[in-house]
């Protein structure tokens, strides 16, 4: 694949991920507000994604690697980390507003950069790159100071989410690099294994009792049209972000992928300000702009890196059945659109 085609293919993947990521936080907040069962909500998302991949594969609209026990065993730890990330994310949105979620999501690039260097033996970030990540963190700290909805429960979930999402970003990047499945194969394995874990978490949290009580009583929280629409949107976007998330992970580095997820939250904030009563103060919004400036500085700090030739071809043409070569030197391409 030529450099220009690879650039546009990578751009499309990251833009797709950015749009899905920007909208999904608000959609999930809308869903959990009207359907207060986080475990069941995430299970429905996993079920939709698994069935979606299987049905589209049956109709020949996509190709995925078949499910094997050997690959499932290898991928199980990554699926567990992914499940915990979604579980803590959903419970964070249940107890806090979208602003709090964005703050803690914004803290991840610096931690991922450190973890990437420590555990995946990637080169240390340059001084300018490290400075940009510290600026992102500083903006997030200023932003959290404006949070009027602080509660111990919300911030406990937020801290758990921060730890898990940092682990997830680095570890799943490692799995994408080394397991050798195509993008839809990763989507299938990730969602199917997560779906298998859901009953265990229903029992641990005791949520299954609330669900059974609501079903017996015919509660409107399970069956009203608004909840159905919210859950349906959440499931559809869950499938979309599964594909774009894994595809983007193949195309760019873990840190660049994380920064993309932070900077695109500007759109999330804009939507949040329009539809919710509680949102950040003007000072808080300025801190978020400060965070975005850090993202732009990060983009500039890695733009000059020359992209290495891919070791494998792109997976965007399913009929060609190719994969991206996964080099962190792809920052030279990805950084141009990491500020979306």
């Amino acid at each position: 694949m030529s450099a220009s085609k690879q650039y546009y293919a990578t751009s499309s993947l990251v833009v797709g991920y950015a749009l899905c990521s920007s909208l999904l936080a608000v959609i999930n907040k809308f869903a959990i507000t009207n359907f207060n069962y986080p475990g069941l909500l995430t299970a429905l998302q996993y079920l939709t994604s698994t069935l979606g991949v299987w049905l589209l594969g049956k109709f020949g609209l996509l190709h995925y690697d078949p499910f094997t026990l050997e690959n499932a065993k290898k991928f199980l730890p990554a699926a567990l980390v992914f499940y915990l990330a979604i579980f803590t994310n959903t419970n964070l949105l249940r107890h806090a507003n979208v602003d709090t979620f964005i703050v803690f999501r914004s803290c991840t690039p610096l931690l991922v950069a450190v973890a990437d260097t420590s555990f995946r033996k990637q080169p240390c970030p340059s001084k300018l790159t490290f400075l940009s990540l510290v600026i992102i963190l500083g903006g997030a700290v200023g932003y959290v100071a404006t949070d009027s909805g602080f509660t111990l429960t919300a911030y406990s979930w937020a801290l758990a989410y921060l730890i898990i999402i940092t682990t997830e970003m680095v570890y799943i990047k490692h799995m994408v690099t080394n397991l050798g499945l195509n993008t839809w194969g990763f989507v299938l394995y990730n969602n199917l294994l997560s779906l298998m874990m859901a009953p265990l978490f229903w029992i641990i949290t005791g949520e299954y009792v609330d669900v059974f009580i609501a079903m017996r009583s015919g509660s409107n929280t399970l069956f009203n049209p608004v909840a159905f629409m919210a859950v349906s949107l959440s499931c559809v976007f869950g499938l979309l972000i599964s594909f774009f998330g894994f595809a983007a992970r193949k195309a760019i580095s873990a840190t660049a992928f994380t920064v993309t997820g932070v900077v695109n939250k500007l759109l999330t904030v804009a939507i949040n300000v329009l539809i919710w009563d509680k949102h950040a103060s003007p000072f808080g919004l300025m801190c978020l702009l400060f965070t975005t400036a850090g993202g732009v500085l990060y983009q500039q700090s890695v733009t000059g890196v020359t992209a290495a030739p891919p070791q494998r071809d792109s997976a965007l043409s399913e009929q060609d059945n190719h994969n991206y070569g996964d080099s962190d030197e792809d920052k030279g391409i990805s950084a141009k659109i990491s500020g979306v």
Side-chain angles (χ1 to χ4, degrees):
M1 174 177 284
S2 67
S4 61
K5 287 184 178 180
Q6 181 170 323
Y7 168 74
Y8 287 116
T10 305
S11 299
S12 299
L13 291 174
V14 178
V15 169
Y17 169 74
L19 290 174
C20 290
S21 180
S22 298
L23 293 171
L24 192 58
V26 176
I27 291 171
N28 278 342
K29 178 63 177 178
F30 177 51
I32 202 64
T33 301
N34 292 278
F35 189 80
N36 196 22
Y37 307 101
L40 181 56
L41 176 62
T42 54
L44 290 171
Q45 291 174 338
Y46 300 139
L47 178 62
T48 301
S49 297
T50 301
L51 289 178
V53 172
W54 181 76
L55 287 173
L56 291 173
K58 284 292 183 182
F59 285 104
L61 298 176
L62 58 84
H63 170 75
Y64 61 86
D65 293 305
F67 188 89
T68 66
L69 186 59
E70 181 181 357
N71 281 334
K73 289 179 180 178
K74 293 178 181 177
F75 194 75
L76 183 60
L80 176 60
V81 174
F82 173 80
Y83 185 98
L84 291 173
I86 299 300
F87 183 76
T88 53
N89 175 17
T90 305
N91 278 281
L92 171 57
L93 289 172
R94 184 186 188 187
H95 295 284
N97 55 37
V98 176
D99 295 340
T100 306
F101 161 72
I102 293 172
V103 167
F104 280 84
R105 184 67 172 78
S106 299
C107 293
T108 56
L110 179 59
L111 297 179
V112 169
V114 172
D116 237 358
T117 301
S118 301
F119 300 107
R120 297 188 65 238
K121 307 304 180 184
Q122 300 300 315
C124 292
S126 67
K127 292 181 179 179
L128 185 59
T129 300
F130 190 81
L131 175 63
S132 69
L133 295 172
V134 172
I135 290 174
I136 291 174
L137 179 61
V141 170
Y143 192 87
V144 76
T146 70
D147 186 9
S148 60
F150 178 91
T151 66
L152 183 59
T153 300
Y155 271 72
S156 296
W157 281 112
L159 181 60
Y161 172 73
L162 179 61
I163 294 171
I164 295 297
I165 195 63
T166 302
T167 305
E168 189 257 0
M169 287 288 177
V170 177
Y171 188 67
I172 289 189
K173 175 68 178 181
H174 170 75
M175 294 300 298
V176 166
T177 304
N178 293 284
L179 193 54
L181 300 175
N182 68 5
T183 299
W184 285 112
F186 279 116
V187 174
L188 177 66
Y189 275 80
N190 206 38
N191 286 282
L192 181 56
L193 291 173
S194 296
L195 180 62
M196 293 176 179
M197 286 183 250
L200 176 62
F201 282 85
W202 291 343
I203 295 172
I204 292 174
T205 61
E207 184 183 312
Y208 73 97
V209 176
D210 297 330
V211 173
F212 287 150
I213 291 174
M215 291 177 65
R216 289 171 184 170
S217 63
S219 171
N220 286 334
T221 57
L222 278 177
F223 303 108
N224 76 77
V226 176
F228 179 81
M229 180 183 70
V231 171
S232 298
L233 277 175
S234 180
C235 289
V236 169
F237 272 81
L239 174 59
L240 291 175
I241 203 169
S242 289
F243 168 73
F244 282 112
F246 275 112
R249 276 183 169 97
K250 281 191 172 185
I252 61 180
S253 71
T255 305
F257 177 82
T258 307
V259 171
T260 300
V262 170
V263 178
N264 68 47
K265 291 300 183 290
L266 274 179
L267 177 57
T268 304
V269 171
I271 297 171
N272 189 52
V273 168
L274 291 175
I275 69 173
W276 298 109
D277 292 334
K278 293 183 178 181
H279 52 76
S281 66
F283 176 76
L285 295 177
M286 287 298 296
C287 288
L288 194 57
L289 290 176
F290 191 68
T291 300
T292 306
V296 173
L297 182 61
Y298 170 85
Q299 169 188 330
Q300 296 301 317
S301 72
V302 296
T303 298
V305 181
T306 303
Q311 296 175 355
R312 292 175 289 178
D313 295 327
S314 171
L316 295 179
S317 176
E318 290 291 346
Q319 65 268 28
D320 290 337
N321 200 21
H322 291 155
N323 286 315
Y324 267 149
D326 190 68
S327 170
D328 280 313
E329 293 181 6
D330 284 343
K331 287 179 181 179
I333 297 174
S334 65
K336 297 179 182 179
I337 33 80
S338 65
V340 175

